[in-house]
Amino acid sequence: MKYNKDTSEKILTAAITVFEEKGFSGTRMQEIADKANINKALLHYYYKSKDKLFEIILIRAIQLLMPKLAMVFNSEDNFFKKIENFVSVYIDILSEHPHIPAFVSHEINTNPKRLLKFIENSGVNITPFIQTIKQEIEKKTIIDIEPEQLIVNTISLCIFPFIAKPIITNIILKDNKKKYTEFIESRKKEVSRFIINAIKN
Amino acid sequence: MKYNKDTSEKILTAAITVFEEKGFSGTRMQEIADKANINKALLHYYYKSKDKLFEIILIRAIQLLMPKLAMVFNSEDNFFKKIENFVSVYIDILSEHPHIPAFVSHEINTNPKRLLKFIENSGVNITPFIQTIKQEIEKKTIIDIEPEQLIVNTISLCIFPFIAKPIITNIILKDNKKKYTEFIESRKKEVSRFIINAIKN
DNA sequence: GTTAAATTTAACCAAACGGTTAAATATGTT
DNA sequence: AACATATTTAACCGTTTGGTTAAATTTAAC
């Protein structure tokens, strides 16, 4: 029993596309097979079940995200530089993999326990983030803010604009010449500026 | 052909709960009927189809949100007060109707055109917001920021924490004694403070 | 008690779906 | 050409699902 790596990846790519649009339950395996230009039997040869396929994509998404984010925050940079890098990395990863927010938000509603398990299995540990923020508060670099609120704010500012792409494109940028991709690209600087302005002492 | 208002609302409430958890395609009509303690035939007597039911819920969600938000921004308050009220109203509505983010994010992925149509039909018009922000920039009340970025930031900070509830509860607040509801309640002041600090001149 | 109307029952239907199977075919390697 | 392997075909399966229907039952109002 052998596998062709190209075929394996082609199926994954197709699955990402269809799952992103239709959600898990709304996606048929035949659709994925069509998208990947294979037959359904081969799909089942390569991936045991629909559930398994979805899970593999989800785990990959999480493992794309978490280590890089931790790495940024463990660097020797000063705090504001860390925020800039965190935001930049986060937006870059999401720009390159815009399916991640859709998968995560679907999973949050339908299968929160599974999602939390995968996130925990990814090794994410926010305690160092919290400690760092507390230190900066003590040093008076930043204002007194609950660390968890700052973390939630930062993540919200990075991720939600990807979720809201159609709304941003068609409503918020309706009379603006700027395209969505430019808008997101400029957020790398804009979001970190916003956050730093909000918290600096 | 008559309807009982109580039964009608009972079905809607049940549908909101099941759709929120399972998503549109993952929800069976029999599940909604079970949740509402009725039989499936009555469900179809009251609501023509699964699609129709979902649509009614979605339209209601949007019509809950949009007029109140516009009203806040049309008030005679000063700009920072408007932001405070906007954030407060937004978070209150979402706290009272926590299903809205799940419905909206599902619809963004699976049916963006329909969602945009409903949002537009709600009468939302962000041009006054944009004009107001531009005026405040000219008056030097706030820093030079692209109005659309400020709008996206504000909405992100208000809505994403509702989407991310399980992550906030189980990961971010894991070692924090504060409960999710307290955390969200304190965001009313925290988010507006954050925004105002970020943009004030 | 009578009537009207809301609700339930019980059965049905066609279509769809994830998954399976064995044989046939195509592809790649030697 | 022979062989191994990846892929396809074509059919199948049991289950589930949204939606339907007519008759029976229950409930509410008078």
Side-chain angles (χ1 to χ4, degrees), chain B residues 2 7 39 41-42 46:
Chain B
K2 296 291 178 74
T7 305
N39 55 79
L42 194 70
Y46 271 84

Side-chain angles (χ1 to χ4, degrees), chain B residues 123-189:
Chain B
V124 67
N125 174 16
I126 68 158
T127 309
F129 297 0
I130 289 173
Q131 293 308 321
T132 301
I133 294 168
K134 282 180 177 171
Q135 283 165 18
E136 296 298 322
I137 290 166
E138 279 173 28
K139 285 157 61 180
K140 308 267 186 212
T141 313
I142 64 175
I143 63 171
D144 191 7
I145 182 172
E146 192 176 2
E148 289 86 357
Q149 294 281 8
L150 177 55
I151 290 169
V152 168
N153 288 352
T154 304
I155 293 168
S156 300
L157 290 167
C158 291
I159 193 170
F160 186 73
F162 288 94
I163 295 175
K165 179 181 174 181
I167 293 174
I168 293 174
T169 303
N170 293 284
I171 292 174
I172 295 175
L173 290 181
K174 194 173 174 184
D175 300 323
N176 189 315
K177 286 177 183 169
K178 195 179 251 186
K179 299 220 168 133
Y180 175 80
T181 47
E182 288 173 67
F183 186 80
I184 289 293
E185 186 64 28
S186 58
R187 283 189 76 74
K188 286 192 205 165
K189 287 199 158 69

Side-chain angles (χ1 to χ4, degrees), chain B:
Chain B
M1 184 140 98
K2 296 291 178 74
Y3 298 102
N4 177 324
K5 189 154 182 282
D6 284 347
T7 305
S8 185
E9 288 301 315
K10 186 166 64 164
I11 295 171
L12 274 184
T13 302
I16 286 169
T17 302
V18 185
F19 276 140
E20 187 186 2
E21 183 186 333
K22 301 287 179 71
F24 177 77
S25 303
T27 291
R28 292 172 303 118
M29 293 298 261
Q30 186 59 57
E31 281 181 273
I32 295 174
D34 291 342
K35 193 82 179 180
N37 267 301
I38 59 168
N39 55 79
K40 197 170 55 152
L42 194 70
L43 178 51
H44 287 284
Y45 175 79
Y46 271 84
Y47 297 96
K48 183 179 158 193
S49 68
K50 188 180 181 183
D51 215 60
K52 198 74 203 173
L53 188 52
F54 190 83
E55 196 171 289
I56 286 165
I57 294 166
L58 187 61
I59 290 173
R60 279 200 186 189
I62 290 165
Q63 297 192 336
L64 250 182
L65 220 41
M66 299 301 169
K68 284 191 181 175
L69 296 177
M71 195 169 62
V72 164
F73 241 80
N74 290 332
S75 76
E76 300 288 340
D77 294 322
N78 77 53
F79 186 66
F80 293 152
K81 193 70 187 173
K82 280 179 184 176
I83 290 177
E84 283 169 7
N85 290 340
F86 184 93
V87 169
S88 200
V89 167
Y90 208 120
I91 291 176
D92 272 341
I93 293 172
L94 293 181
S95 292
E96 225 178 302
H97 305 279
H99 67 276
I100 293 180
F103 276 81
V104 171
S105 65
H106 167 273
E107 202 67 3
I108 281 182
N109 290 314
T110 53
N111 230 327
K113 285 184 184 174
R114 181 168 70 166
L115 179 68
L116 292 171
K117 194 185 70 175
F118 291 158
I119 291 176
E120 277 159 5
N121 287 353
S122 78
V124 67
N125 174 16
I126 68 158
T127 309
F129 297 0
I130 289 173
Q131 293 308 321
T132 301
I133 294 168
K134 282 180 177 171
Q135 283 165 18
E136 296 298 322
I137 290 166
E138 279 173 28
K139 285 157 61 180
K140 308 267 186 212
T141 313
I142 64 175
I143 63 171
D144 191 7
I145 182 172
E146 192 176 2
E148 289 86 357
Q149 294 281 8
L150 177 55
I151 290 169
V152 168
N153 288 352
T154 304
I155 293 168
S156 300
L157 290 167
C158 291
I159 193 170
F160 186 73
F162 288 94
I163 295 175
K165 179 181 174 181
I167 293 174
I168 293 174
T169 303
N170 293 284
I171 292 174
I172 295 175
L173 290 181
K174 194 173 174 184
D175 300 323
N176 189 315
K177 286 177 183 169
K178 195 179 251 186
K179 299 220 168 133
Y180 175 80
T181 47
E182 288 173 67
F183 186 80
I184 289 293
E185 186 64 28
S186 58
R187 283 189 76 74
K188 286 192 205 165
K189 287 199 158 69
E190 187 58 50
V191 168
S192 49
R193 184 179 73 148
F194 193 83
I195 292 168
I196 290 167
N197 281 347
I199 63 174
K200 74 183 173 184
N201 227 332

Side-chain angles (χ1 to χ4, degrees), chain A residues 68-113:
Chain A
K68 286 192 181 175
L69 296 177
M71 196 170 61
V72 164
F73 240 80
N74 291 333
S75 77
E76 299 290 338
D77 293 323
N78 76 53
F79 186 65
F80 293 151
K81 193 71 187 173
K82 280 178 182 175
I83 289 177
E84 282 169 7
N85 290 340
F86 184 92
V87 169
S88 198
V89 168
Y90 208 121
I91 291 178
D92 272 343
I93 293 171
L94 294 180
S95 293
E96 224 179 303
H97 306 279
H99 67 275
I100 293 180
F103 276 81
V104 170
S105 65
H106 168 273
E107 201 68 4
I108 281 183
N109 290 314
T110 54
N111 230 328
K113 285 187 183 170

Side-chain angles (χ1 to χ4, degrees), chain A residues 13 41 43 52 59 90 97 110 171:
Chain A
T13 301
L43 177 52
K52 198 72 199 172
I59 289 173
Y90 208 121
H97 306 279
T110 54
I171 292 175

